[in-house]
Amino acid sequence: MNIQQLLTQRISQAMIMAGANSDCDALIKQSAKVQFGDYQANGIMATAKKMGMPPRALAEQVLKHLDIDDIADKVEIAGPGFINIFLKASWIAEQNEIALNSDKLNITLPAKPQTIVIDYSAPNVAKEMHVGHLRSTIIGDASVRVLSFLGHNVIRANHVGDWGTQFGMLIAYLEKMQNEHANDMELADLESFYRAAKKHYDEDEVFAEKARNYVVKLQSGDEYCRTMWRKLVDITMTQNIATYKRLNVTLSLNDTMGESIYNSMLPGIVADLKQKKLAVESDGAIVVFLDEFKNKEGEPMGVIIQKRDGGYLYATTDIACVKYRYEQLHAERIIYYTDSRQHQHLEQVWLIAHKAKYVPESLKLEHHMFGMMLGKDGKPFKTRSGDTVKLNDLLDEATERATALIRAKNPELTNKELAQIVDAVAIGAVKYADLSKNRTTDYVFDWDNMLSFEGNTAPYLQYAYTRVLSIFKKAGITDDDLTGTVSLASDKERALATRLIQFDETIATVAAEGTPHVLCAYLYDIATLFSSFYENCPILTAENDTLKMSRLKLASLTAKTLKIGLEMLGIKTVEKM
Ligand code: ARG
């Protein structure tokens, strides 16, 4: 149980004993200011109102019944009826000790791990990954890491766009290329491949005819078309996997669950929705009309699930997909990481799946949406010439910038050391810049900010981590040498130690809401609190050995927290920089 849960339990118990309903909410929050203690209960006012009682009177009753002496040494009523809780230093110290001695820093693990499908990254075949895929890929991967750490059965689902009518022209073009360039071809530049295929399709009627013919053949399972299609998928995914590796993202080839795998389900879905009277024919197409969504004219919105020419749509695939994830993967929770423009699409898909009883209401369906990545001019992030920025180009630039920066800071590094640090810093900076912003809004991509060693950045945290390690190195001490107990005499020690044991509730929030920025803000706090602790409380030159050991323990827990926290974000640490 994390501190928030523990205090919720204690305060609620007292509220119930004071006459509140058993469903009363203590609303425990971390206090924003030291004078309000470490935590505050904000739920007294609302409950008192329900009970028809003055809030301060209820607060007084709650304090009378409250059993909290083991955790807190001061509890007071403030303002109209807030309860401020001041944790006991000895209890905080003890919790630090426990965290330090447990292998997952004493994080509360769920009583019943869930099967959670995380739908993320999802680039399209025969196209190179661009910055538009960055947010889904790295926020999704952070979620994967956090939920896996908690012991959930996490299934990564890379819903790549590997199906659709464009494959006719892509196959026709691949064939043309192969004929011209002998057998072994490599799609060094997928982007121009796609563009060239499209150009041929638009300009060459013979080619276009062939392409249309290939679409039909591919969909009916023709072996030649299938093989060519496979080639396109393999070439694209091999390149994407290399990019994932570079990004330190955990997606592998096995996680590819593209749109194509649902293809065989689609005719059955359409027939079933028709039979259930959910889908009707309209202008030759098959449409599901939803009363819950209104179009501009105020009429029920129609979701097309089969076009007049027999083709299926993105929505049809997603309806099949959610059914599959429930039935075959036994998902209990599905999280989609796509940008906010796909919100309505997903809501409609889920609604249809619910109406058709493909998935039960108990299945948790969540869209963890995000805004766009903007340039410094506030417009969507583009190259100078206005093209979309390829992900690999972006990472190349990050590497170049980080190399110059690290080399200037530390000229003595060997090339090998330099390369390792640059990899951690460059990729870390790009990822952290994204992860540290609230995902629901757009954010401005700014090289100078993200690579700065000051402020809430990856390099700052990575550097803070190396500083803690260097203390141990300097003293010739390892974790195994730590003895004695943690004691918290000064404010700085207490502040750091208190924040350290809030790792548990921080992770709980991130796991529930898919908000890595909360973890970033937390780690940044830890790094700054450590820094002021270190400046004010000598560690290696402490007055006595007992104090030195206590402070080394806080330093050790700081390092572990930073390392595990950054790992959850998919950001590497180095031993020196
Ligand atoms: N490939 C899609 C795109 O690039 C994203 C897929 C998201 N997942 C899903 N199940 N629809 O927009």
Side-chain angles (χ1 to χ4, degrees):
M1 212 186 290
N2 63 46
I3 309 175
Q4 229 158 10
Q5 290 166 331
L6 184 61
L7 293 177
T8 302
Q9 198 182 56
R10 299 288 180 95
I11 300 269
S12 309
Q13 221 164 40
M15 284 167 79
I16 294 162
M17 286 165 84
N21 235 321
S22 60
D23 64 354
C24 63
D25 195 346
L27 280 176
I28 302 290
K29 297 263 145 51
Q30 292 169 12
S31 300
K33 288 190 179 144
V34 244
Q35 65 264 36
F36 300 149
D38 299 299
Y39 284 85
Q40 56 189 64
N42 297 345
I44 300 295
M45 281 80 77
T47 304
K49 196 169 168 197
K50 272 190 210 153
M51 295 166 70
M53 197 174 166
R56 283 193 74 102
L58 175 61
E60 272 157 31
Q61 284 304 309
V62 169
L63 292 204
K64 252 190 215 139
H65 293 287
L66 186 61
D67 168 20
I68 204 169
D69 292 347
D70 51 335
I71 309 171
D73 49 13
K74 192 165 99 183
V75 183
E76 55 185 32
I77 302 169
F82 296 104
I83 296 180
N84 295 340
I85 302 155
F86 298 76
L87 299 175
K88 228 181 187 163
S90 58
W91 185 78
I92 299 169
E94 206 178 282
Q95 296 306 306
N96 271 260
E97 202 83 57
I98 295 171
L100 194 57
N101 292 323
S102 70
D103 54 321
K104 286 195 169 184
L105 301 190
N106 201 30
I107 293 281
T108 310
L109 303 179
K112 214 180 137 281
Q114 286 182 308
T115 295
I116 306 175
V117 172
I118 304 193
D119 181 320
Y120 72 116
S121 192
N124 298 319
V125 165
K127 287 199 173 175
E128 205 163 324
M129 283 179 81
H130 57 82
V131 291
H133 299 109
L134 190 65
R135 303 208 74 184
S136 172
T137 304
I138 64 187
I139 303 172
D141 204 54
S143 225
V144 164
R145 289 168 182 267
V146 169
L147 294 166
S148 305
F149 184 91
L150 293 177
H152 292 293
N153 171 29
V154 173
I155 301 174
R156 299 164 180 79
N158 196 353
H159 194 85
V160 298
D162 63 354
W163 204 247
T165 47
Q166 74 275 27
F167 280 91
M169 88 185 178
L170 292 170
I171 292 170
Y173 188 63
L174 178 61
E175 179 184 86
K176 186 173 155 61
M177 294 282 281
Q178 283 189 342
N179 290 340
E180 284 164 19
H181 299 277
N183 227 328
D184 211 29
M185 66 155 301
E186 198 190 307
L187 300 185
D189 188 347
L190 284 172
E191 209 57 37
S192 60
F193 179 88
Y194 195 97
R195 249 184 272 133
K198 180 88 175 61
K199 195 163 182 294
H200 276 81
Y201 185 82
D202 291 340
E203 291 170 3
D204 177 350
E205 193 35 52
V206 180
F207 181 91
E209 183 54 38
K210 192 183 237 179
R212 282 191 289 271
N213 181 28
Y214 279 168
V215 177
V216 180
K217 281 182 142 181
L218 176 67
Q219 283 174 345
S220 58
D222 173 79
E223 205 170 309
Y224 170 75
C225 284
R226 213 55 216 181
T227 312
M228 294 294 270
W229 168 81
R230 200 48 287 152
K231 251 187 207 175
L232 288 165
V233 175
D234 286 348
I235 294 167
T236 314
M237 289 317 289
T238 308
Q239 292 195 15
N240 290 343
I241 296 295
T243 306
Y244 293 146
K245 195 155 181 256
R246 200 173 171 197
L247 269 173
N248 192 23
V249 158
T250 61
L251 280 167
S252 76
L253 220 41
N254 295 333
D255 307 316
T256 307
M257 286 186 232
E259 294 177 15
S260 63
I261 62 172
Y262 309 104
N263 189 51
S264 62
M265 293 172 71
L266 305 185
I269 297 267
V270 172
D272 185 60
L273 291 175
K274 277 207 280 201
Q275 199 252 320
K276 287 180 173 146
K277 304 261 182 296
L278 290 165
V280 294
E281 205 180 305
S282 169
D283 273 340
I286 310 296
V287 183
V288 178
F289 287 98
L290 296 171
D291 284 332
E292 293 80 353
F293 292 87
K294 299 276 192 256
N295 63 17
K296 277 190 229 106
E297 286 75 40
E299 293 153 0
M301 210 162 178
V303 177
I304 304 178
I305 54 169
Q306 189 170 24
K307 288 190 290 189
R308 214 187 309 194
D309 67 6
Y312 301 102
L313 289 108
Y314 188 49
T316 329
T317 303
D318 262 323
I319 296 169
C321 170
V322 71
K323 185 171 188 284
Y324 176 89
R325 288 173 180 172
Y326 173 68
E327 287 174 358
Q328 308 295 322
L329 305 179
H330 309 293
E332 296 170 272
R333 181 180 181 197
I334 308 177
I335 310 177
Y336 295 75
Y337 285 94
T338 61
D339 72 47
S340 40
R341 289 169 299 184
Q342 297 200 20
H343 191 60
Q344 191 178 60
H345 158 77
L346 287 175
E347 296 242 286
Q348 292 177 336
V349 161
W350 299 341
L351 185 60
I352 296 170
H354 278 136
K355 288 191 173 191
K357 304 248 178 302
Y358 293 154
V359 301
E361 294 292 336
S362 60
L363 171 66
K364 288 183 70 197
L365 297 168
E366 300 169 31
H367 181 204
H368 289 187
M369 59 181 129
F370 43 81
M372 276 196 293
M373 191 165 138
L374 306 176
K376 265 181 158 174
D377 55 0
K379 298 201 183 110
F381 190 74
K382 292 268 166 71
T383 61
R384 241 176 255 259
S385 55
D387 292 330
T388 48
V389 179
K390 290 180 196 166
L391 207 43
N392 276 312
D393 292 345
L394 184 91
L395 301 182
D396 286 345
E397 180 163 356
T399 307
E400 255 167 57
R401 286 176 181 262
T403 306
L405 201 76
I406 306 285
R407 191 178 275 138
K409 263 195 186 313
N410 202 341
E412 305 98 83
L413 291 172
T414 66
N415 281 342
K416 198 174 156 216
E417 285 170 336
L418 180 71
Q420 201 197 358
I421 297 170
V422 164
D423 171 53
V425 169
I427 304 298
V430 169
K431 291 176 87 170
Y432 193 87
D434 196 317
L435 294 167
S436 58
K437 313 286 187 318
N438 187 334
R439 65 171 160 75
T440 55
T441 50
D442 296 343
Y443 82 100
V444 175
F445 189 88
D446 178 347
W447 286 116
D448 297 326
N449 268 343
M450 74 181 75
L451 283 163
S452 167
F453 278 70
E454 301 297 327
N456 189 10
T457 66
Y460 176 75
L461 294 180
Q462 289 165 321
Y463 182 64
Y465 175 72
T466 62
R467 268 180 79 193
V468 190
L469 291 196
S470 71
I471 298 168
F472 282 84
K473 239 178 266 161
K474 200 160 148 199
I477 285 178
T478 69
D479 277 344
D480 298 336
D481 304 320
L482 297 178
T483 55
T485 52
V486 175
S487 63
L488 305 171
S490 75
D491 285 356
K492 304 286 179 198
E493 287 168 303
R494 190 189 188 283
L496 173 62
T498 307
R499 199 73 182 118
L500 280 170
I501 52 173
Q502 289 172 339
F503 191 43
D504 198 358
E505 60 203 46
T506 304
I507 297 309
T509 303
V510 179
E513 289 159 18
T515 45
H517 75 280
V518 173
L519 176 55
C520 295
Y522 171 81
L523 295 175
Y524 179 56
D525 270 358
I526 292 296
T528 47
L529 287 169
F530 178 80
S531 177
S532 73
F533 153 74
Y534 187 51
E535 274 157 35
N536 289 280
C537 309
I539 298 181
L540 299 182
T541 54
E543 289 148 48
N544 55 55
D545 255 11
T546 319
L547 203 54
K548 177 171 151 184
M549 278 298 168
S550 166
R551 289 177 178 167
L552 278 169
K553 281 190 166 183
L554 288 182
S556 172
L557 188 55
T558 299
K560 288 198 164 81
T561 305
L562 286 175
K563 186 170 173 69
I564 292 180
L566 286 170
E567 246 162 39
M568 285 176 172
L569 298 170
I571 292 175
K572 291 180 190 166
T573 46
V574 284
E575 308 250 311
K576 72 172 194 190
M577 55 192 278

